[in-house]
Amino acid sequence: MSAAEFRQLGELFPNETVTHSYVQDIELPPVNGTSPGTFALVTLDNGLDHSKPTTLGPNTLIELGTVLTGLKERAARGEIVGVGVTGKPYFLVAGADLSTVKSLGGREQGLWMAQLGHDVYATLANLGVPSFAFINGLALGGGLEIALQSTYRTVSTGAGALALPEAFIGLIPGWGGVYILPRLIGPENALKVMIENPLSNNRTLTGPQAFELGIADAIFEPADFVEQSLAWAAQVIAGTATPERANAVDPSSPEVAERWAGAIAAGRAFVEAKTSNAPPAPGKVLDVMEANRTLTQAESAALECETLADLMQTDEFRSTVYAFLDLVQRRSKRPAGAPDPKLARPVTKIGVVGAGLMAGQLALHFARQLKVPVVLTDIDQARVDKGVGYVHAEVDKLLAKKRISPDAANRTRALVTGSVSKDVFADADFVIEAVFEELSIKKQVFGELEAIVSPECILATNTSSLSVTAMAEDLRHPERLVGFHFFNPVAVMPLLEIVRAPRTDDAVLATAFDLAKGLKKTAVRVMDAPAFVVNRILLRLMGEVTAAFDEGTPAEVADNALRPMGLPMTPFTLGAMVGLPVAQHVQESLHAAFGDRFPVSQNLQKLIDNGVKSIWAPENGPDGRPFIPAETLALMSFGSTPSTGEDVLHRTQDALAEEIGLMLDEGVVAGPEDIDLCMILGAGWPMFLGGITPYLDRVGASERVTGRKFQAPGVASEPA
């Protein structure tokens, strides 16, 4: 590809936030009394604060390439003895600019972008003098590949989020990472970084972990990281320091070839288990790595570029960018329908009604994140003591794992107390109930609370399916009640459905959103409708699969019918995890509200009545496959109209499209984007689906059922 074509690519993105390459000449510190010479340090900086990560768009790469070409010429003239690359505070580089990549028009431009990156990185790898990457902070994707293309690498102990997350995003580490990393740290470790971590909630490495794997050659403290790195570089250039790379391998050796094949096989099994091979990118990472064991780096680079160009054209990639960038990174920070934050009231004390497991999780999370007093109540002292004891025990676990300091542990324990009297809520600013999911019980609780709390105190319910409006109807001040629905486990799941009933006032709602921000949760405003968003969609899905099972579809066929979607777990597994009684209770609520769209399974009820916790046996059978125990089968009866797996998938797709169409018509959320955000953050649905609505558009269900697509062309699909 020519320089003119690279410039043409850059001209397509005049509004790119360019990460500039600033060069500083530094006289290296003396080694044995003599400086090795002049060192050129390139600092990558977009000129913005730490809330705006540095990224790699076409114009950024063109500028970096121009700078590196100039440094290569200086090296040839003997003016410099080495080149280093580092970043602005907290960042090396956060990777490719996904907004740019998503906007590339057609495969040819995608190929140009891939080739541009390789062209620039090849210059860095072939300067004629040693190159160094000083990984001072976050380094993702193309950012970490800058480091991998350098001759040597140092990393800060304070650096967080080092990763090659491309398999998660829908691409491959295609600027040399997939070639260099397995040679540098061994094929097994490389697969952890390129496959296992990305597909495990996009896990990343810390600086010390990267050093331990062998990604970095030296590690230094943050306070004087660049100075220490320069001193180490001086020693390397002077020949007094030689990095040891214990994990590095030669892929041409028979022993490594066998390890390579074993790692690829293990990677394919992992991808199958995690995604059912629904998204193409993870398999492509493995394909390229498998092929490049016997390729030269130039041959691998050509394969990487072609693979990247293909993947950039997939709807799975576009859906991932939509989900990750447009939803999780952007929409989550500007919730649709949230009132003016200035209306929010201060919250200095929180009450939790109930002291069971959910209440204990809430109390712990409030205390840890908001650092305000939290008081639990329940009907007797034993329950109260158990609830407070749970919080203290969880704090002790965090302390043992060194995830919390001794001082923080002591403060958190002191913040959480308990009482058998609701009078302790008299000076609370916010009280949330976490009692049994029964409307009459919740109404009784709120009636008791209103007689105790101040007029300004906000009352909240953690209900997963009941009507907030009905809970408020007997209150003197119904405007103070808001739905505040967490997902289990509270500390882990990032979604908070904030439910506005018809009379909930703006100040109450604003305070709820402000609390969500303090709790580090993503809040989505939902209207008061049965089961809100996540549970309504999940129960519609589970209801269709269970109905097919009850009609006579074999359990293995029904439960695995949705595997092409790549969901985190099968419907029967999800039901067992949630608890069959809980799932059935919500299903009954939805059946009462919406009728036959949410059928209540008599087979499941028989299992519940007999204390059976799961359709499947707790362990797989002798052949390694799940099975239903004979005693469980004996409790159930089935119809005589079995379906194929394809039939079950098709009917479930149409059911989801119908339900989401109705939810949007009802105004449950502001738009399909909020449906998708809820499913990603509240149910762990894959990014490559785009949540749910782009998937239903892609398979034709939305048009089959509603006559239209949920998303406009180009949002999570090919532009019109």
Side-chain angles (χ1 to χ4, degrees):
M1 186 173 172
S2 68
E5 287 172 316
F6 285 150
R7 285 196 300 274
Q8 182 183 343
L9 180 62
E11 288 167 1
L12 296 173
F13 299 95
N15 298 320
E16 175 189 337
T17 300
V18 176
T19 297
H20 295 289
S21 301
Y22 299 105
V23 182
Q24 178 185 8
D25 280 2
I26 296 171
E27 193 68 18
L28 287 172
V31 178
N32 296 328
T34 304
S35 169
T38 301
F39 187 89
L41 181 63
V42 180
T43 300
L44 303 172
D45 193 341
N46 59 8
L48 303 172
D49 64 32
H50 64 85
S51 68
K52 302 291 190 299
T54 45
T55 55
L56 300 165
N59 293 293
T60 295
L61 287 167
I62 290 167
E63 179 177 320
L64 176 59
T66 301
V67 167
L68 291 174
T69 299
L71 292 175
K72 184 173 183 175
E73 293 167 356
R74 291 184 63 196
R77 295 194 297 268
E79 296 175 11
I80 54 176
V81 296
V83 173
V85 180
T86 192
K88 73 177 188 180
Y90 310 111
F91 296 95
L92 179 60
V93 177
D97 182 344
L98 291 179
S99 295
T100 297
V101 176
K102 181 185 176 184
S103 302
L104 292 169
R107 188 182 187 280
E108 184 181 34
Q109 289 183 8
L111 185 60
W112 288 0
M113 182 74 175
Q115 291 171 338
L116 172 59
H118 267 289
D119 186 79
V120 173
Y121 285 22
T123 306
L124 175 64
N126 297 281
L127 288 169
V129 292
S131 57
F132 297 78
F134 302 153
I135 308 170
N136 61 307
L138 179 146
L140 300 175
L144 186 58
E145 285 173 306
I146 285 178
L148 291 173
Q149 293 276 10
S150 301
T151 320
Y152 304 101
R153 291 157 291 280
T154 68
V155 69
S156 168
T157 58
L162 278 67
L164 293 176
E166 283 84 356
F168 170 81
I169 293 169
L171 300 173
I172 67 166
W175 283 339
V178 72
Y179 183 88
I180 298 168
L181 192 65
R183 288 162 168 77
L184 181 66
I185 65 174
E188 302 88 354
N189 287 331
L191 263 296
K192 289 180 184 176
V193 176
M194 296 192 296
I195 293 292
E196 292 181 23
N197 285 357
L199 300 185
S200 299
N201 297 318
N202 210 16
R203 189 183 299 150
T204 61
L205 301 170
T206 63
Q209 288 169 333
F211 174 68
E212 185 69 24
L213 283 175
I215 293 174
D217 299 306
I219 186 166
F220 302 111
E221 294 297 320
D224 56 354
F225 172 69
V226 173
E227 291 82 357
Q228 290 285 352
S229 295
L230 287 167
W232 183 80
Q235 294 170 17
V236 171
I237 291 170
T240 61
T242 303
E244 295 182 9
R245 293 176 175 168
N247 291 333
V249 299
D250 176 4
S252 65
S253 77
E255 184 252 337
V256 173
E258 187 175 336
R259 286 174 53 193
W260 205 282
I264 296 294
R268 294 198 190 282
F270 186 87
V271 170
E272 166 67 25
K274 278 285 187 178
T275 72
S276 303
N277 290 319
K284 290 296 184 182
V285 174
L286 294 166
D287 291 345
V288 175
M289 180 175 155
E290 183 174 31
N292 78 28
R293 186 188 69 79
T294 58
L295 299 179
T296 65
Q297 188 162 2
E299 290 169 337
S300 181
L303 177 60
E304 291 164 36
C305 289
E306 294 292 336
T307 304
L308 278 172
D310 289 341
L311 287 171
M312 287 179 203
Q313 297 306 304
T314 63
D315 282 338
E316 286 86 356
F317 168 66
R318 296 187 181 100
S319 291
T320 301
V321 175
Y322 157 76
F324 182 69
L325 195 66
D326 298 340
L327 300 184
V328 175
Q329 296 292 314
R330 292 176 179 165
R331 192 175 181 91
S332 68
K333 295 175 175 59
R334 296 184 292 275
D340 186 340
K342 295 175 183 175
L343 296 174
R345 302 172 189 163
V347 173
T348 59
K349 180 180 176 180
I350 290 176
V352 181
V353 182
L357 179 59
M358 191 66 180
Q361 290 187 68
L362 294 175
L364 175 61
H365 198 64
F366 288 141
R368 284 197 70 198
Q369 300 300 329
L370 302 177
K371 297 176 174 56
V372 298
V374 182
V375 59
L376 294 156
T377 65
D378 215 313
I379 58 175
D380 58 50
Q381 193 63 45
R383 286 181 171 85
V384 170
D385 291 343
K386 186 176 180 180
V388 174
Y390 165 83
V391 174
H392 289 188
E394 290 299 303
V395 171
D396 291 341
K397 290 178 187 176
L398 292 168
L399 183 60
K401 294 176 182 175
K402 298 184 178 179
R403 291 175 56 192
I404 191 171
S405 70
D407 284 348
N410 289 335
R411 286 195 299 271
T412 303
R413 289 192 204 95
L415 286 171
V416 179
T417 58
S419 173
V420 294
S421 170
K422 293 185 180 68
D423 290 344
V424 292
F425 298 143
D427 59 345
D429 303 301
F430 184 93
V431 180
I432 186 169
E433 65 76 21
V435 300
F436 186 70
E437 193 78 345
E438 184 66 50
L439 181 61
S440 60
I441 295 174
K442 293 181 186 290
K443 291 183 71 170
Q444 178 185 340
V445 164
F446 286 127
E448 293 169 356
L449 287 172
E450 198 170 34
I452 295 168
V453 299
S454 70
E456 295 77 25
C457 180
I458 293 168
L459 302 180
T461 172
N462 185 47
T463 183
S464 59
S465 62
L466 299 177
S467 168
V468 180
T469 305
M471 290 181 208
E473 63 187 2
D474 295 331
L475 294 178
R476 294 193 303 276
H477 297 286
E479 71 279 358
R480 70 160 81 200
L481 185 63
V482 67
F484 211 58
H485 180 219
F486 289 86
F487 292 80
N488 197 12
V490 169
V492 175
M493 299 302 288
L495 180 68
L496 190 53
E497 290 178 331
I498 294 183
V499 187
R500 180 168 204 168
R503 298 178 68 178
T504 306
D505 74 23
D506 282 349
V508 169
L509 200 64
T511 306
F513 275 96
D514 188 59
L515 278 177
K517 185 177 180 181
L519 292 167
K520 299 179 181 176
K521 298 295 183 188
T522 294
V524 174
R525 174 181 162 174
V526 302
M527 298 307 289
D528 187 21
F532 316 126
V533 175
V534 174
N535 285 335
R536 182 167 167 181
I537 291 173
L538 287 180
L539 268 295
R540 184 72 196 267
L541 177 151
M542 293 168 68
E544 293 298 325
V545 173
T546 303
F549 174 56
D550 290 348
E551 290 161 7
T553 305
E556 190 168 343
V557 173
D559 198 30
N560 289 293
L562 308 188
R563 286 183 69 83
M565 293 174 68
L567 298 179
M569 62 187 72
T570 68
F572 290 177
T573 303
L574 176 61
M577 189 191 81
V578 170
L580 297 184
V582 173
Q584 188 82 330
H585 185 75
V586 178
Q587 189 79 356
E588 289 169 344
S589 299
L590 288 163
H591 179 74
F594 301 123
D596 290 342
R597 296 205 315 272
F598 291 87
V600 177
S601 170
Q602 296 308 305
N603 276 335
L604 285 190
Q605 191 59 51
K606 289 174 186 174
L607 300 189
I608 294 164
D609 293 343
N610 286 273
V612 178
K613 299 185 183 301
S614 172
I615 292 173
W616 295 121
E619 297 178 359
N620 288 344
D623 59 355
R625 296 157 66 96
F627 72 101
I628 303 177
E631 55 271 25
T632 301
L633 270 176
L635 297 171
M636 298 186 284
S637 57
F638 302 97
S640 57
T641 55
S643 300
T644 65
E646 186 176 345
D647 290 338
V648 177
L649 175 63
H650 191 277
R651 90 186 248 181
T652 304
Q653 291 168 344
D654 287 359
L656 292 174
E658 178 187 32
E659 205 59 40
I660 290 168
L662 291 168
M663 292 166 72
L664 294 172
D665 290 344
E666 294 164 16
V668 175
V669 289
E673 297 82 3
D674 289 326
I675 298 273
D676 295 327
L677 188 59
C678 283
M679 296 312 294
I680 291 164
L681 299 183
W685 278 29
M687 294 275 185
F688 66 81
L689 291 183
I692 181 60
T693 66
Y695 169 79
L696 296 174
D697 286 349
R698 198 156 63 238
V699 298
S702 49
E703 288 183 286
R704 286 197 301 266
V705 175
T706 70
R708 58 182 172 82
K709 290 187 175 183
F710 292 121
Q711 299 286 353
V715 172
S717 59
E718 185 176 1

